[in-house]
Amino acid sequence: MKIDEEGWLVAEGSEPKVVRIPTVRTYRLVVPAPLGIVWHWTSGRGGPGFAERLARRVQTYRRGVDRPASWHALVARDGVIYQSAPLLVGTWHVGRPGVIAGQRLDNINRATVGCELENAGRLRKIGERFYCWPFWTNPSAPVYERRPDPRCAIDSDRAIVVQGQGIFDAFSPEQQASAAAMLTALVARFSWPHEVCSYGHRDFDPKRKEDPGPLWADSVLPQILNQVFGGRDLAAAESAPPAAHGG
Ligand SMILES: [Zn+2]
């Protein structure tokens, strides 16, 4: 995967598919190029067509009507990457202050890439089944009257227990492969070190947000980072001499 002059991802050969669905919800970066990536989950049940619909929904913006949210890339469960904005502009995925790569910023959005992962997030076991947000058909009813919403049911093989933290939706192998391909391109293009590749929304808004959750942060992403950085080092070593023909 490559990144073109403007900052659009370009898939090559058998790589994961990238679909461009541009949004107007962007603004300038305060740095020449993004300093790192912030991971998010979409939450909710998702499913076929969900990621594309979500990307289309944020293409336009009506002030005072739409929730001001956008992101650069959305990785669907089937591995397709929907890109909403070039990587050289900012999107509206955090909107809070914080520190990225040692730089204090008034707004994280002004110096980062925002990546959404189609994932149901935190799950609850109700009876014998697992459910995602909003869990209930009648969430505002008293607890004893609540009924789990069958539309929020998640296959039990996707429900992963993270010790001491709860139950979380699994990330699909296709999604992990696409995230790895994209991150490899980002690291190469922007010369990112390891430590700017693992920010999460929760790092900047811990009271309100827990995405991308412990499953991504503590088990999936570290494996991807091994692949991205380990692979690159290996490739550099293998392709060292001779380098006569270039290209
Ligand atoms: Zn988020």
Side-chain angles (χ1 to χ4, degrees), residues 141-183:
V143 177
Y144 55 87
E145 282 185 7
R146 284 182 194 160
R147 300 276 175 275
D149 187 341
R151 290 172 305 173
C152 298
I154 296 288
D155 278 351
S156 56
D157 57 1
R158 277 173 53 180
I160 310 287
V161 176
V162 178
Q163 209 56 43
Q165 306 213 52
I167 309 166
F168 295 86
D169 185 19
F171 296 89
S172 72
E174 292 83 358
Q175 213 168 19
Q176 296 179 37
S178 295
M182 183 184 72
L183 196 55

Side-chain angles (χ1 to χ4, degrees), residues 38-42 93-94 115-116 200-202 209 211-212:
V38 182
W39 300 98
H40 303 257
W41 65 31
T42 54
H93 56 105
V94 175
C115 182
E116 290 279 350
H201 197 175
R202 62 183 189 173
K209 297 288 180 180
D211 61 321

Side-chain angles (χ1 to χ4, degrees), residues 176 216 218-228:
Q176 296 179 37
W216 181 263
D218 303 332
S219 25
V220 176
L221 185 58
Q223 286 175 37
I224 290 176
L225 291 177
N226 273 342
Q227 213 178 310
V228 170

